[in-house]
Every structure is written in structure tokens, then in C-alpha cells.
Amino acid sequence: MGFNPKIADELEKSMKALPGYFTLKDQFPGDKGMVDMTLHFKKSGQSDNYSFNKFEVTAGKVPPTVENQQYMVISADKDKPDKFLVKNFDSPNEALDFFKKQKGTSELAVGESVEAKQNLASMKDGKVNFINPDFRQAYFSPAVSQTFYLKDGKGFSASQAANLVQDRTVFRNDMMTRDGDSYKAWIRLDFDVKKDDFGNHKFKQFHHPTYGFDMEKTLNAYKIKELAEPEKKAEIIKAMSNGDRVAVTATGKDGKETKVMAEVVPRYGKLNFFSEKGAALKREQFTKTATVNNTQSQSKSQSQDKTQQQGQSRGIR
């Protein structure tokens, strides 16, 4: 499933005690912060076998810590007014969520220790009275969460799930209809419609090849240096199909080469470009023509309702 290797060691240790249920934590670097993952394991009622049927993924905008630093929530001790309770977090998203749920006097900070910390936000009597200006965007930007379900070890991989909660699109060639027929589709989370009854975003699917998106044709509309080498081109196609944001060398209208990040947007038959620091760039400056030839999507505009299907988040794997 593509989780970090450490998960296998933690899984083995956790199973030895034969608990009925347990979770493991994993993290992936995201565009604007860490992507947190919680894996759920349940023991069979008839044997010592464990099933892994779902994992939750959360992408926020809280920046990761540097080496030797931790996020911490420092709260007043009700029983000892002159003392404080300190809770450390490996996950920036969990630290922020925990802080927002506090009711008394509390502080969200980051640093090597309580003595060497930077105050990010604080509250008194449950009301926030300070937010560090550099932390405001992360504080007020809601995290995106989604639960991904597995069946017989099949479903979205860890990296695909991380890409989906960051509003990217992934390609799956192993999808199945309710009748058991296989099909291929580009899939993204639909942030434009109401969540389902389980608090998950619904999926929007663009069936392949009926939707008409052509990866190679789309790539060739841009001046990307790596596309001239077959092996590198194949690597780019594979990574973008996984939903990855890929580092490439693009040539602008001024003829200068620039290191940028690119991701595919099958919905519109285009690529999105970003600077190495994550700032959005105008794609037109890297096209071979004035505008990207998007007839592949336009020709399908009359039949999108038939080729785009929304799946319930608990039904798609």
C-alpha cells in the first residue's frame, strides 16, 4: 500500500499482544504541511488474524517542525494553579486540533522544549487572545480529511490518498462496477458538493478513455525539457498518473529554462505549474502555442454527465 517501512515493524509489535483493535500513525510530506495517516487494524473474532480495512488521511497547512523540535500544547493545571501540563505532538495537525478544543488557559507552541519555544497561539478561559501573524493562515485554514476503505488489500495507496486530500487527481486501472466489470478512471475528491453521511467527500470519476483525456497529448502541449528523453517521459507519466506533483524543467516564452513543479488536471485537460516554493504559475508561459489545445475536453462537454460518475466514499476502493 506504499506506507513507510517503519509501519511493518510497528504492526508486528502491536499484534504480538493480540489486542482486539489498534491504530498506527504515518506521515507524508505535503505541499503546505504534513499529511497525517491513521491506519486501523481489527482482530478477527475467530482467529489471530488482523484485517486492515481503512485508513484516515488529513492534510493541513501547519508547517512541519525542523529537527529536534516538537509542537506542544501547554495548559494550566486545574489542581495545581502554579503548574502547567505539557502535551507533545508528532503531528502538527493533531496539535492544532487539540489546542482548539481546549476550554481554559492554553498555549500552542513549537520548539525543542518549554523553555525554548515559540508561541503560535494562546487562549484564556477558552477564548483565543493571540495568534502569531506568521501562523494565521495555517490556523484558519481548515484541514482536509478523508477515510479510505480497502477490500482484500486493494484500494488507494498511501501516496494516492495523500494526493487526493491535496486536491489532485489519480488514475486507477483496477476499478470495478457493482456488477463486477472492470474499468479505468481518473478520480478526484469532489469538494464542490456536500459530504456524505459519514463525513467523507464524494469521489468524482472521469472514465478512461470515454472522457477523452490524453496524457501524452496534454504533456506535449508544453515546453518541458525532460519529455525529450523517453525514460524520463515515462517516469513523469507514471508519477502524474499517481497524482504526484513532479519536478520538471520548463521553457518560458522568453526562452529561459526554469525548474518548476507540475501536476496534471484531467478534468480540464491541462497541467498546473508551481514554483519550487509552491506559488502558482501561469501555465500559458510554458505552452508551445498561445493556449493549450483542449479540444479533447471540449468535445466531451455535452456528455460529461454520462462520463463523470460520483461514487459514495464508502463504496469506492
Side-chain angles (χ1 to χ4, degrees), residues 138-237:
Y139 186 91
F140 289 109
S141 299
V144 176
S145 296
Q146 184 80 0
T147 299
F148 293 88
Y149 295 88
L150 310 172
K151 184 176 181 181
D152 300 327
K154 294 183 179 180
F156 291 101
S157 68
S159 59
Q160 288 174 337
N163 285 326
L164 285 167
V165 295
Q166 294 179 94
D167 198 16
R168 294 203 279 271
T169 310
V170 305
F171 182 73
R172 288 278 299 275
N173 61 5
D174 58 351
M175 302 300 294
M176 299 288 290
T177 66
R178 295 183 183 275
D179 297 327
D181 298 323
S182 62
Y183 68 95
K184 303 175 182 180
W186 288 90
I187 303 171
R188 66 182 292 266
L189 295 183
D190 196 340
F191 296 106
D192 299 324
V193 299
K194 184 180 178 181
K195 292 182 179 181
D196 67 15
D197 295 338
F198 302 96
N200 274 336
H201 296 282
K202 296 179 180 179
F203 292 92
K204 177 169 283 190
Q205 303 184 48
F206 307 92
H207 286 209
H208 178 80
T210 53
Y211 184 70
F213 173 70
D214 187 322
M215 171 75 90
E216 189 156 343
K217 182 178 180 180
T218 299
L219 287 173
N220 289 337
Y222 300 91
K223 299 176 183 178
I224 298 176
K225 182 179 181 180
E226 289 79 5
L227 298 180
E229 301 181 38
E231 289 187 5
K232 290 185 178 180
K233 183 176 182 179
E235 291 176 358
I236 290 174
I237 291 176

Side-chain angles (χ1 to χ4, degrees), residues 16-68:
K16 284 183 177 180
L18 297 179
Y21 166 82
F22 64 91
T23 62
L24 296 177
K25 300 285 188 177
D26 201 359
Q27 283 187 328
F28 279 69
D31 300 330
K32 297 182 179 180
M34 297 303 295
V35 178
D36 295 319
M37 300 189 179
T38 303
L39 292 66
H40 294 256
F41 297 89
K42 186 176 181 180
K43 185 177 177 295
S44 169
Q46 288 74 42
S47 70
D48 291 343
N49 292 331
Y50 282 84
S51 60
F52 172 39
N53 295 325
K54 68 177 182 179
F55 61 103
E56 298 157 356
V57 184
T58 300
K61 295 185 179 180
V62 184
T65 60
V66 298
E67 189 176 2
N68 297 325

Side-chain angles (χ1 to χ4, degrees), residues 218 221-222 268-271 283-284 287 289-295:
T218 299
Y222 300 91
Y268 301 116
K270 298 180 179 180
L271 298 184
R283 66 173 66 90
E284 289 77 15
T287 58
T289 56
T291 58
V292 178
N293 184 352
N294 195 32
T295 56

